[in-house]
């Protein structure tokens, strides 16, 4: 993140120097065609026109990168055909000056996003209290169960419950019978499928449409192109496109497909996660993939004097030298076994939460008794008073398979030959079942803010059948701690993790 900040500052400075040093009378030479807008969002079935600004333009040629997503006319009119993203390349021929004899060429790119309908971010998060309660409980449970062994091994952990739940939501829309009952009970309790889809969709759209941070999410369904081996129902694809804006791809499931899937993952995690699979097993019929990327700058930036070399004592008792971020915050958290602090990202829609177990209470011990209710209650205990805070800079990747986590939550049938995914489709062997649930995450936290990404891939396999003036509190995250990135109106975690080591 530091590198990005430096590049941005340098770009602004260079521009200012160029404008400031431009001699009088040279404006004529500055004629270069530009796009009125480099990005277009178009509702499926609608059209918009790309406008090129500039003088002495002789010709414009437009070319789309994906005709299946959007087409473009000779005059730059873009027609949206299918939900997804593509690029329109524009080649412009023009004369730099009136006296120029030769035509110059300028190549421009307009990014096009096709949506089901125009999306406007509501002023508040419209989800039911029951959904919020179930989402919090499932999020903490996913993290607690998956983190148990890595934490005992004194490693770092990072789960994105939001990514896992969204990927599983797409799977749920293809489930039936006892398989659906197990998935429903484990992941969202007594909420019916229709209400779950509506709430999950509203929640995702609210997160993505934030103007203050960069939050990107994408969903895709990759299907083997041999109809004699697998047939996927249109109703299943339509439901997931409606609620989760998923894109469907039919591919031969060869080495080229591996490259395409990994390229999609890399693009939709903003290059933070370069790949999710290395090969495709012969009996894999479909992948359902969720990818998300978060980048938020701190609401209050750190000055250079607040970043100091300090010591972090890891889970093995080893002293590690780290850049420690020192600040005074005003959101103090406390329960019987831990203290904590909340620090907002720009706009206040999202916040970083650091939870430090009391001396004598290990991270493992604290996680064992943590529930969705206790997590939300801890954040709800926020006291508005001064908190002297130390947060270490850290960065790491985490890879895990969520199958055993799901089984521990009570989901069994979905992985067996008795699975019922009849609402999803069929194979020549008769049924589909879940083979793998791969989950990868990445995080970078530094003085500028936080970058985090997650990808969850589910492979379907063929089966046989006002501040206080009192003494300030202290929360120094200089030993193993739990953290989360949360949406602040409901305190639901987008990411949850454990830092046992900063090296």
């Amino acid at each position: 993140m530091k590198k990005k900040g430096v590049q941005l500052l340098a770009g602004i400075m260079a521009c200012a120097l160029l404008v400031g040093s431009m001699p009088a009378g040279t404006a004529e030479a500055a004629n270069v065609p530009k796009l009125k807008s480099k990005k277009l969002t178009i509702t499926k079935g609608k059209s918009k026109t790309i406008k090129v600004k500039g003088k002495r333009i002789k010709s414009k040629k437009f070319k789309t990168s994906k005709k299946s997503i959007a087409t473009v006319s000779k005059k730059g009119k873009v027609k949206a055909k299918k939900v997804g993203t593509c690029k329109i390349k524009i080649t412009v021929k023009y004369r730099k000056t009136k006296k120029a004899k030769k035509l110059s060429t300028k190549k421009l790119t307009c990014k096009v996003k096709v949506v089901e309908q125009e999306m406007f971010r509501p002023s508040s998060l419209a989800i039911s209290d029951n959904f919020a309660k179930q989402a919090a409980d499932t999020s903490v449970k996913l993290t607690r169960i998956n983190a148990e062994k890595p934490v005992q091994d004194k490693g770092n952990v990072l789960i994105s419950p939001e990514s896992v739940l969204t990927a599983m939501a797409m799977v749920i829309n293809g489930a039936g019978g006892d398989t659906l009952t197990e998935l429903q009970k484990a992941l969202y309790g007594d909420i019916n499928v229709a209400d779950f889809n509506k709430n999950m969709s509203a929640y995702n759209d609210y997160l993505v449409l934030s103007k203050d941070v960069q939050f990107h999410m994408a969903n895709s369904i990759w299907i083997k192109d041999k109809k004699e081996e697998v047939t996927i129902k249109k109703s299943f694809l339509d439901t997931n496109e409606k609620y989760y804006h998923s894109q469907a791809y039919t591919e031969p499931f060869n080495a080229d497909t591996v490259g395409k899937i990994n390229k999609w993952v890399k693009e939709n995690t903003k290059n933070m996660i370069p790949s999710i699979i290395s090969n495709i097993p012969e009996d894999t019929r479909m992948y359902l993939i969720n990818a998300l990327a978060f980048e938020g700058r701190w609401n209050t930036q750190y000055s250079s004097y607040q970043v100091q070399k300090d010591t972090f004592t890891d889970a093995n008792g080893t002293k590690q030298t780290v850049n420690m971020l020192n600040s005074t915050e005003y959101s103090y958290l406390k329960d019987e076994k831990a203290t904590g602090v909340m620090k907002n990202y720009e706009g206040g829609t999202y916040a970083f939460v650091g939870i430090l177990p009391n001396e004598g209470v290990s991270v493992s011990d604290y996680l064992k008794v943590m529930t969705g209710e206790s997590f939300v209650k801890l954040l709800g205990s926020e006291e508005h008073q001064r908190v002297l805070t130390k947060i270490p800079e850290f960065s790491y990747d985490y890879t895990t398979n969520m199958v055993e986590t799901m089984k521990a939550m009570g989901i069994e049938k979905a992985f067996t030959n008795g699975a019922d995914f009849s609402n999803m489709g069929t194979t020549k062997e008769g049924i589909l079942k879940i083979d793998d649930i791969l989950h990868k995450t990445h995080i970078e936290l530094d003085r500028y803010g936080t970058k985090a990404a997650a990808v969850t891939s589910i492979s379907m396999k063929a089966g046989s059948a006002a501040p206080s003036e009192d003494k300030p509190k202290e929360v120094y995250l200089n030993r193993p701690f739990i953290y989360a990135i949360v949406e602040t109106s409901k305190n639901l975690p987008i990411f949850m993790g454990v830092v046992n080591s900063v090296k």
Side-chain angles (χ1 to χ4, degrees):
M1 293 191 63
K2 179 178 179 182
K3 184 177 180 182
K4 181 178 179 181
V6 171
Q7 288 177 332
L8 178 61
L9 180 60
I12 293 170
M13 289 173 65
C15 179
L17 286 169
L18 178 63
V19 174
S21 62
M22 188 179 291
T26 60
E28 177 71 6
N31 174 47
V32 178
K34 298 178 181 178
L35 292 177
K36 186 175 182 180
S37 177
K38 293 182 179 180
K39 295 181 180 180
L40 289 180
T41 300
I42 314 175
T43 303
K44 187 171 72 172
K46 303 292 184 181
S47 299
K48 286 186 181 180
T49 300
I50 296 174
K51 296 182 179 179
V52 181
K53 299 189 298 181
K55 299 177 182 179
R56 296 178 292 278
I57 294 175
K58 296 300 179 181
S59 66
K60 294 174 285 187
K61 290 186 178 180
F62 300 86
K63 185 177 181 180
T64 179
S65 63
K66 294 180 183 177
K67 290 183 179 180
S68 61
I69 302 294
T71 57
V72 60
S73 72
K74 292 181 179 180
K75 293 185 178 181
K77 187 175 182 180
V78 181
K79 184 173 182 180
K81 299 181 69 178
K82 178 181 175 182
V83 173
T85 58
C86 68
K87 295 178 181 179
I88 305 295
K89 302 285 187 179
I90 309 106
T91 302
V92 185
K93 298 286 186 179
Y94 70 104
R95 295 188 192 279
K96 288 186 177 180
T97 66
K98 290 181 180 179
K99 296 181 180 180
K101 293 182 179 180
K102 293 183 178 180
L103 291 177
S104 297
T105 301
K106 179 68 176 178
K107 293 189 176 182
L108 305 169
T109 301
C110 180
K111 294 182 179 180
V112 175
K113 181 177 182 179
V114 179
V115 297
E116 190 68 37
Q117 57 185 0
E118 291 285 4
M119 294 163 61
F120 300 95
R121 191 172 196 262
S123 57
S124 60
L125 178 51
I127 59 174
S128 70
D129 290 341
N130 191 21
F131 174 84
K133 178 178 178 296
Q134 292 290 346
D137 188 59
T138 301
S139 296
V140 171
K141 195 178 293 183
L142 283 168
T143 306
R144 185 182 69 235
I145 295 172
N146 187 269
E148 184 176 357
K149 188 177 186 307
V151 168
Q152 286 176 353
D153 294 339
K154 301 178 181 179
N156 293 338
V157 175
L158 178 60
I159 299 294
S160 173
E162 167 67 9
S163 178
V164 175
L165 275 173
T166 301
M168 292 301 294
M170 293 193 289
V171 172
I172 285 166
N173 285 316
D178 291 342
T179 302
L180 175 60
T181 301
E182 278 191 355
L183 289 164
Q184 179 179 352
K185 183 178 178 180
L187 299 175
Y188 54 94
D190 59 357
I191 304 173
N192 63 50
V193 175
D195 285 344
F196 176 75
N197 278 326
K198 289 175 184 176
N199 279 273
M200 195 74 201
S201 178
Y203 180 49
N204 288 352
D205 289 348
Y206 182 83
L207 297 177
V208 169
L209 294 172
S210 173
K211 294 180 180 179
D212 302 305
V213 304
Q214 294 182 43
F215 192 108
H216 175 78
M217 179 186 292
N219 295 296
S220 61
I221 300 173
W222 302 76
I223 306 160
K224 194 168 186 178
D225 68 358
K226 294 184 178 180
K227 289 187 177 180
E228 68 274 15
E229 292 187 17
V230 61
T231 303
I232 301 301
K233 290 187 175 181
K234 184 176 183 297
S235 57
F236 168 74
L237 298 176
D238 289 346
T239 298
N240 282 320
E241 182 181 352
K242 176 181 178 180
Y243 291 109
Y244 305 108
H245 315 298
S246 61
Q247 298 171 260
Y249 302 90
T250 302
E251 292 287 336
F253 277 30
N254 55 18
D256 186 52
T257 306
V258 172
K260 288 181 179 181
I261 290 175
N262 287 333
K263 182 182 178 182
W264 184 92
V265 166
K266 185 177 180 180
E267 288 177 352
N268 286 290
T269 59
K270 306 302 180 185
N271 299 323
M272 285 185 267
I273 299 175
S275 65
I276 186 66
I277 60 173
S278 57
N279 60 77
I280 300 177
E282 180 62 31
D283 53 1
T284 297
R285 300 291 182 260
M286 180 166 58
Y287 285 100
L288 299 97
I289 305 176
N290 167 271
L292 61 86
F294 170 91
E295 185 171 355
R297 295 177 66 84
W298 299 121
N299 200 39
T300 302
Q301 290 290 303
Y302 290 94
S303 298
S304 57
Y305 74 89
Q306 293 176 293
V307 184
Q308 301 171 0
K309 293 293 182 184
D310 209 331
T311 300
F312 181 92
T313 304
D314 72 11
N316 291 308
T318 303
K319 305 290 185 183
Q320 300 176 333
T321 301
V322 65
N323 285 331
M324 196 69 79
L325 309 177
N326 298 268
S327 62
T328 299
E329 305 299 332
Y330 293 93
S331 296
Y332 179 67
L333 311 174
K334 184 179 181 180
D335 64 16
E336 293 178 355
K337 295 186 177 182
T339 56
V341 65
M342 290 182 70
K343 182 175 177 64
N344 283 342
Y345 296 101
E346 277 185 338
T349 301
Y350 298 90
F352 171 85
V353 177
I355 302 171
L356 186 69
N358 295 341
E359 291 284 359
V361 179
S362 70
V363 165
S364 180
D365 290 339
Y366 190 86
L367 277 174
K368 285 177 183 177
V369 296
M370 182 188 276
T371 63
E373 183 180 6
S374 70
F375 177 78
V376 173
K377 185 178 179 181
L378 174 64
L379 272 59
S381 73
E382 177 189 358
E383 297 176 20
H384 189 57
Q385 56 181 296
R386 287 190 301 152
V387 192
L388 302 182
T389 305
K390 291 179 182 286
I391 302 173
E393 290 188 339
F394 61 89
S395 174
Y396 63 87
D397 299 283
Y398 181 70
T399 301
T400 186
N401 192 311
M402 299 294 292
V403 170
E404 293 306 315
T405 300
M406 292 295 172
K407 288 181 178 179
M409 292 175 66
I411 300 171
E412 295 279 354
K413 197 171 283 289
F415 303 100
T416 70
N417 289 337
D420 180 357
F421 286 105
S422 54
N423 292 321
M424 185 182 291
T426 58
T427 70
K428 67 178 182 180
E429 292 83 3
I431 60 100
L432 286 161
K433 64 180 179 180
I434 298 176
D435 182 40
D436 252 339
I437 305 176
L438 304 176
H439 188 58
K440 281 190 174 184
T441 51
H442 171 85
I443 188 165
E444 300 171 31
L445 184 149
D446 63 19
R447 68 198 69 185
Y448 302 104
T450 304
K451 289 171 68 175
V455 59
T456 303
S457 169
I458 302 175
S459 60
M460 303 299 297
K461 184 178 181 179
S464 352
S468 167
E469 294 303 322
D470 294 338
K471 181 180 178 181
K473 304 294 185 181
E474 295 179 353
V475 177
Y476 296 162
L477 303 179
N478 55 9
R479 54 185 172 83
F481 62 92
I482 300 160
Y483 69 94
I485 296 173
V486 301
E487 184 283 319
T488 53
S489 70
K490 298 292 185 180
N491 288 333
L492 295 179
I494 312 301
F495 292 90
M496 286 194 81
V498 173
V499 173
N500 271 319
S501 172
V502 292
K503 299 296 183 182

